[in-house]
Amino acid sequence: MDDRELIRLAYQARASAHAPYSGFRVGAALLTNSGKVYTGCNIENASYGASNCAERTAFFKAVSEGEREFQAIAVVGGKEEITESCPPCGICRQVMMEFCNPDTFYILFEGKGKIICKYLLRELLPEGFGAGNLAR
Ligand code: THU
Protein backbone atom coordinates (compact mmCIF):
# COMPACT_ATOMS: atom_id res chain seq x y z
CA MET A 1 0.00 0.00 0.00
CA ASP A 2 1.66 3.24 -1.06
CA ASP A 3 0.99 6.65 0.46
CA ARG A 4 -1.07 7.97 -2.46
CA GLU A 5 -3.37 4.92 -2.37
CA LEU A 6 -4.02 5.39 1.37
CA ILE A 7 -4.88 9.05 0.68
CA ARG A 8 -7.25 7.92 -2.09
CA LEU A 9 -9.07 5.62 0.36
CA ALA A 10 -9.38 8.55 2.79
CA TYR A 11 -11.03 10.60 0.00
CA GLN A 12 -13.43 7.74 -0.63
CA ALA A 13 -14.37 7.59 3.07
CA ARG A 14 -14.90 11.37 3.11
CA ALA A 15 -17.88 10.90 0.81
CA SER A 16 -19.81 9.51 3.80
CA ALA A 17 -19.02 12.43 6.13
CA HIS A 18 -21.97 13.69 8.18
CA ALA A 19 -21.02 17.34 8.67
CA PRO A 20 -24.16 19.48 8.33
CA TYR A 21 -23.06 21.91 11.08
CA SER A 22 -19.45 22.76 10.20
CA GLY A 23 -19.58 21.84 6.52
CA PHE A 24 -16.03 20.54 7.07
CA ARG A 25 -15.98 17.02 5.66
CA VAL A 26 -13.20 14.65 6.71
CA GLY A 27 -12.15 11.14 5.68
CA ALA A 28 -9.50 8.85 7.13
CA ALA A 29 -7.93 5.54 6.10
CA LEU A 30 -6.11 3.50 8.75
CA LEU A 31 -3.62 0.83 7.68
CA THR A 32 -2.98 -2.16 9.98
CA ASN A 33 0.33 -4.02 10.17
CA SER A 34 -1.26 -6.91 8.28
CA GLY A 35 -2.19 -4.61 5.38
CA LYS A 36 -5.91 -4.23 6.04
CA VAL A 37 -7.50 -0.77 5.80
CA TYR A 38 -10.27 0.61 8.04
CA THR A 39 -11.84 3.86 6.90
CA GLY A 40 -13.77 6.52 8.80
CA CYS A 41 -15.52 9.86 8.34
CA ASN A 42 -16.49 12.61 10.74
CA ILE A 43 -19.95 12.21 12.23
CA GLU A 44 -21.39 15.42 13.67
CA ASN A 45 -24.35 15.78 16.01
CA ALA A 46 -26.93 18.50 16.69
CA SER A 47 -25.53 18.36 20.22
CA TYR A 48 -22.10 19.42 18.91
CA GLY A 49 -20.04 17.76 21.64
CA ALA A 50 -21.34 14.36 20.60
CA SER A 51 -19.51 14.64 17.27
CA ASN A 52 -16.72 12.26 16.29
CA CYS A 53 -13.69 12.89 14.07
CA ALA A 54 -12.92 10.75 11.04
CA GLU A 55 -9.69 9.41 12.55
CA ARG A 56 -11.40 8.18 15.70
CA THR A 57 -14.20 6.61 13.67
CA ALA A 58 -11.54 4.61 11.79
CA PHE A 59 -9.70 3.64 14.98
CA PHE A 60 -12.83 2.62 16.84
CA LYS A 61 -14.03 0.53 13.92
CA ALA A 62 -10.66 -1.25 13.76
CA VAL A 63 -10.20 -1.73 17.50
CA SER A 64 -13.76 -3.03 17.86
CA GLU A 65 -12.92 -5.65 15.21
CA GLY A 66 -9.94 -6.82 17.28
CA GLU A 67 -7.15 -4.92 15.50
CA ARG A 68 -4.30 -3.70 17.70
CA GLU A 69 -1.34 -3.13 15.39
CA PHE A 70 -1.24 -0.14 13.06
CA GLN A 71 1.27 1.33 10.63
CA ALA A 72 -0.24 4.55 9.27
CA ILE A 73 -3.29 6.77 8.87
CA ALA A 74 -4.17 9.15 6.02
CA VAL A 75 -6.50 12.11 6.62
CA VAL A 76 -8.17 14.47 4.14
CA GLY A 77 -10.66 17.21 4.86
CA GLY A 78 -12.04 20.59 4.01
CA LYS A 79 -15.17 22.70 3.61
CA GLU A 80 -17.81 21.28 1.30
CA GLU A 81 -16.19 19.95 -1.89
CA ILE A 82 -12.81 21.56 -1.34
CA THR A 83 -9.97 19.87 0.54
CA GLU A 84 -7.50 21.74 2.68
CA SER A 85 -4.68 20.64 4.88
CA CYS A 86 -6.19 18.49 7.64
CA PRO A 87 -3.73 17.45 10.33
CA PRO A 88 -5.38 15.38 13.09
CA CYS A 89 -6.75 17.19 16.14
CA GLY A 90 -5.23 16.75 19.58
CA ILE A 91 -7.84 14.31 20.84
CA CYS A 92 -7.24 12.03 17.83
CA ARG A 93 -3.47 12.20 18.37
CA GLN A 94 -4.07 11.03 21.94
CA VAL A 95 -6.20 8.11 20.72
CA MET A 96 -3.37 7.17 18.32
CA MET A 97 -0.99 7.25 21.30
CA GLU A 98 -3.10 4.58 22.98
CA PHE A 99 -2.78 2.07 20.16
CA CYS A 100 0.33 2.98 18.16
CA ASN A 101 4.06 3.08 18.61
CA PRO A 102 4.87 6.80 18.26
CA ASP A 103 8.27 5.96 16.76
CA THR A 104 6.89 3.85 13.90
CA PHE A 105 3.31 5.05 13.27
CA TYR A 106 2.96 7.49 10.35
CA ILE A 107 0.36 10.25 9.90
CA LEU A 108 -0.25 11.41 6.32
CA PHE A 109 -2.21 14.44 5.16
CA GLU A 110 -2.11 16.71 2.15
CA GLY A 111 -0.41 20.06 2.29
CA LYS A 112 -0.41 22.88 -0.24
CA GLY A 113 -0.46 21.73 -3.85
CA LYS A 114 -1.61 18.28 -2.69
CA ILE A 115 1.90 17.27 -1.64
CA ILE A 116 1.76 14.54 0.99
CA CYS A 117 2.94 15.59 4.44
CA LYS A 118 4.15 12.56 6.38
CA TYR A 119 5.09 12.60 10.07
CA LEU A 120 5.71 10.10 12.80
CA LEU A 121 3.21 10.27 15.68
CA ARG A 122 6.18 11.19 17.91
CA GLU A 123 6.69 14.35 15.85
CA LEU A 124 3.06 15.46 16.10
CA LEU A 125 2.69 14.46 19.75
CA PRO A 126 6.06 14.98 21.42
CA GLU A 127 6.31 13.70 25.00
CA GLY A 128 2.87 12.13 24.58
CA PHE A 129 1.22 10.57 27.61
CA GLY A 130 0.62 6.85 27.23
CA ALA A 131 0.16 3.56 29.07
CA GLY A 132 3.87 3.55 29.91
CA ASN A 133 3.40 6.62 32.08
CA LEU A 134 0.98 4.73 34.32
CA ALA A 135 3.33 1.77 34.79
CA ARG A 136 5.56 1.57 37.88
N1 THU B 1 -12.45 16.88 12.21
C1 THU B 1 -12.04 15.61 11.92
O1 THU B 1 -12.86 14.74 11.61
N2 THU B 1 -10.72 15.34 11.99
C2 THU B 1 -9.75 16.26 12.25
O2 THU B 1 -8.59 15.91 12.33
C3 THU B 1 -10.11 17.67 12.41
C4 THU B 1 -11.56 17.93 12.61
C5 THU B 1 -13.89 17.20 12.10
C6 THU B 1 -14.57 17.48 13.40
C7 THU B 1 -15.74 18.32 12.94
O3 THU B 1 -16.77 17.45 12.50
C8 THU B 1 -15.21 19.08 11.75
O4 THU B 1 -14.06 18.37 11.32
C9 THU B 1 -14.85 20.52 12.04
O5 THU B 1 -14.02 20.61 13.14
Side-chain angles (χ1 to χ4, degrees), residues 22 24 26 42 44 53-55 86-89:
S22 72
F24 196 91
V26 186
N42 57 332
E44 296 185 347
C53 288
E55 298 91 318
C86 189
C89 82

Side-chain angles (χ1 to χ4, degrees), residues 22-36:
S22 72
F24 196 91
R25 304 168 62 82
V26 186
L30 174 63
L31 180 62
T32 69
N33 280 1
S34 65
K36 200 166 166 187

Side-chain angles (χ1 to χ4, degrees), residues 29-117:
L30 174 63
L31 180 62
T32 69
N33 280 1
S34 65
K36 200 166 166 187
V37 175
Y38 290 82
T39 59
C41 60
N42 57 332
I43 305 170
E44 296 185 347
N45 194 285
S47 174
Y48 299 162
S51 301
N52 202 52
C53 288
E55 298 91 318
R56 277 176 288 147
T57 302
F59 264 96
F60 296 159
K61 280 170 69 178
V63 170
S64 68
E65 299 289 321
E67 300 287 355
R68 288 294 186 276
E69 296 189 323
F70 303 102
Q71 16 177 336
I73 191 167
V75 192
V76 299
K79 280 245 168 183
E80 312 304 346
E81 293 318 308
I82 296 162
T83 51
E84 293 143 37
S85 185
C86 189
C89 82
I91 297 173
C92 290
R93 293 178 199 197
Q94 185 62 35
V95 168
M96 293 172 199
M97 186 73 194
E98 183 68 24
F99 296 106
C100 306
N101 179 341
D103 294 312
T104 59
F105 184 74
Y106 282 103
I107 297 167
L108 282 65
F109 54 91
E110 288 186 324
K112 283 211 161 41
K114 301 235 179 263
I115 60 145
I116 296 176
C117 301

